Amino acid sequence: MSGPDTMTDPSTMTAEALAGAFRDGTVSASATVAAVLARIERVDPAVNAFTDVLSKRATARAATLDAARARGEPMGPLAGVPFAVKNLFDIAGLPTRAGSKINRVRPPASRDGALVRRMEAAGAILVGGLNMGEYAYDFTGENVHDGSTRNPHDLGHMSGGSSGGSGGAVGAGLVPIALGSDTNGSIRVPSAFCGCFGLKPTYGRLTRAGSFPFVGSLDHLGPMARSVADLALAYDAMQGPDPDDPVATTRSAEPVGPILDEGLGGLRVAVADGYFARGGDAEAFEAVAHVARALDGTRRVTIPEAARARAAAYLITAAEGAALHLERLRSQGHDFDPAVRDRLIAGAMMPAPLVERAQRFRRWYRAAVLDLFREVDVILAPATPCRAPRSGQTTFVLDGVTLPVRANIGVFTQPISFIGLPVVAVPVRLDDGLPLGVQVIAAPWREDLALRVARRLERDGIVRAPVADL
């Protein structure tokens, strides 16, 4: 065994490995945190993932954990593991900025958000808040107030959003786990662009208490990580009912870690065709085919009316988002990112009958998609229509049509989160270029299936999440 404070660079270690090294005395939590803070100081100026680095808090927390271990106290499954959170999560002592200029003059949060507390109860160490698109209304990772988060695999390209800081921090090896939010694709898009694993759980599975909302009927919170085991560790730590979130499930926790390596015998895997097989670059669909071949997924299914589902998601997002920000739009419109402000103003003028019609369709669509899961267990689809566009790029060509980037990166994610299905985004490397992502979609409450499939793919080398060479 190595000495108590000797370790390899933590950027090369998973959360599972770091927790194991801490438990067996190979490394102290203090050494891990010092190494992580040093890497953030060295690497983050190029990536711009962090908006707040909590050096004093993290150092003090690490010392407390070291002392507890020395006393022989039991250690949690994430003991000694650094993590960071999108800055829409409440962090005690900081204003919850949610990527905005307006929010940073709000009173500081009096306590951490619920999922931050649950991660720390499992032994994890919060090291900072992460950059994001303003008020989560973004797919690019660009922020006019804090600067854009850059893709760690090529700094000239987008990180994706709105959890761009979360994707950038994990992909750059700054932390092994980051928490983000996903309304229309904001975990899955940066996971795909930055080459990491991301979990958007079933709507209501993880509490949203202590986070700044965007669209209450679509918002999810979840983890991003460099390994499936790390996703499962974080997911298991954060599960459980919470009366502080009115839509949080009352189901008891259903841990995935103990069954992560169970076999997939008899699992029915299908590829989404139709809408999900057009409107993107050929390599996005080849990434899906690459995963499907590894799983012997020869069946194809059609998700009905997916284009209409995406349109309905747009309407509901615009209307609910505008309602949340209406007073701020009236009194502080000049302090918004103009691209966000204009979409919110448009949402405020949305005719109510259109929104009502979108909600009625949503009920029909959910029932129709759930019918598919009578025949299959997992559905594969692209996470994005292309690799990460260049920073500042405003249009791209999909299927021969020039389209705005910001509005269309989520073309394949929106129809899935619209009805709250659980998804694991897995990173695919077809060549030496930028990574691609594939959605592994399961029925409600079957995160275990999506995670087990992702684990098998990772174990077989089909998907992987290497740290960027920075």
Side-chain angles (χ1 to χ4, degrees), residues 187-200 225-228 231 284 287-288 290-292 295 378-384 423-429 435-441 449-458 462-465:
I187 285 173
R188 291 160 289 162
V189 167
S191 292
F193 284 176
C194 294
C196 58
F197 294 92
L199 169 64
K200 184 204 77 63
R226 290 197 305 274
S227 80
V228 180
L231 270 192
V288 176
H290 178 68
V291 168
L295 296 170
V378 165
I379 300 173
L380 306 176
T384 60
V423 186
V424 174
V426 297
V428 177
R429 292 295 191 122
L436 292 151
V438 172
Q439 297 184 87
V440 181
I441 307 161
L449 289 181
L451 285 163
R452 283 166 50 204
V453 167
R455 174 72 158 183
R456 168 65 69 82
L457 292 166
E458 180 188 35
I462 306 302
V463 301
R464 58 192 180 94

Side-chain angles (χ1 to χ4, degrees), residues 45-137:
V47 178
N48 197 34
F50 279 82
T51 52
D52 302 277
V53 179
L54 306 175
S55 301
K56 290 183 179 179
R57 169 176 168 158
T59 300
R61 166 79 171 154
T64 298
L65 284 167
D66 287 337
R69 186 187 62 181
R71 293 192 297 269
E73 295 180 12
M75 294 289 105
L78 288 168
V81 174
F83 76 108
V85 300
K86 188 174 183 174
N87 68 32
L88 59 65
F89 287 77
D90 289 351
I91 298 173
L94 296 179
T96 306
R97 66 174 77 186
S100 71
K101 176 182 178 181
I102 295 169
N103 278 30
R104 63 195 67 194
V105 299
R106 289 161 55 99
S110 59
R111 66 171 183 167
D112 296 330
L115 294 189
V116 177
R117 299 197 306 272
R118 290 182 180 186
M119 288 286 287
E120 291 214 323
I125 302 169
L126 183 67
V127 298
L130 297 167
N131 203 354
M132 60 175 285
E134 183 178 78
Y135 290 126
Y137 210 167

Side-chain angles (χ1 to χ4, degrees), residues 11 43 54 171 294 329 338:
S11 70
V43 172
L54 306 175
L329 288 167

Side-chain angles (χ1 to χ4, degrees), residues 305-333:
E305 297 283 7
R308 191 176 172 194
R310 180 175 179 242
Y314 255 112
L315 290 174
I316 292 168
T317 296
E320 286 194 32
L324 176 69
H325 292 287
L326 195 55
E327 185 51 44
R328 281 180 283 271
L329 288 167
R330 287 170 173 155
S331 61
Q332 294 178 267

Side-chain angles (χ1 to χ4, degrees), residues 6-22 26-27 32 81-82 173 175-177 226-227 230 467:
T6 61
M7 65 182 302
T8 58
D9 183 344
S11 70
T12 67
M13 300 176 70
T14 64
E16 184 181 38
L18 284 169
F22 174 70
T26 303
V27 67
T32 298
V81 174
V175 286
I177 296 173
R226 290 197 305 274
S227 80
D230 289 0
V467 173

Side-chain angles (χ1 to χ4, degrees), residues 248-320:
T249 182
T250 57
R251 299 166 71 105
S252 298
E254 298 171 289
V256 173
I259 61 171
L260 197 57
D261 287 310
E262 284 190 0
L264 300 181
L267 194 75
R268 301 167 299 174
V269 177
V271 174
D273 63 12
Y275 174 89
F276 292 92
R278 59 178 183 268
D281 290 347
E283 56 200 5
F285 305 122
E286 175 54 31
V288 176
H290 178 68
V291 168
R293 286 192 294 268
L295 296 170
D296 294 325
T298 58
R299 186 183 309 211
R300 303 187 74 83
V301 296
T302 299
I303 296 178
E305 297 283 7
R308 191 176 172 194
R310 180 175 179 242
Y314 255 112
L315 290 174
I316 292 168
T317 296
E320 286 194 32

Side-chain angles (χ1 to χ4, degrees), residues 19-33:
F22 174 70
R23 283 193 301 270
D24 68 19
T26 303
V27 67
S28 67
S30 295
T32 298
V33 164

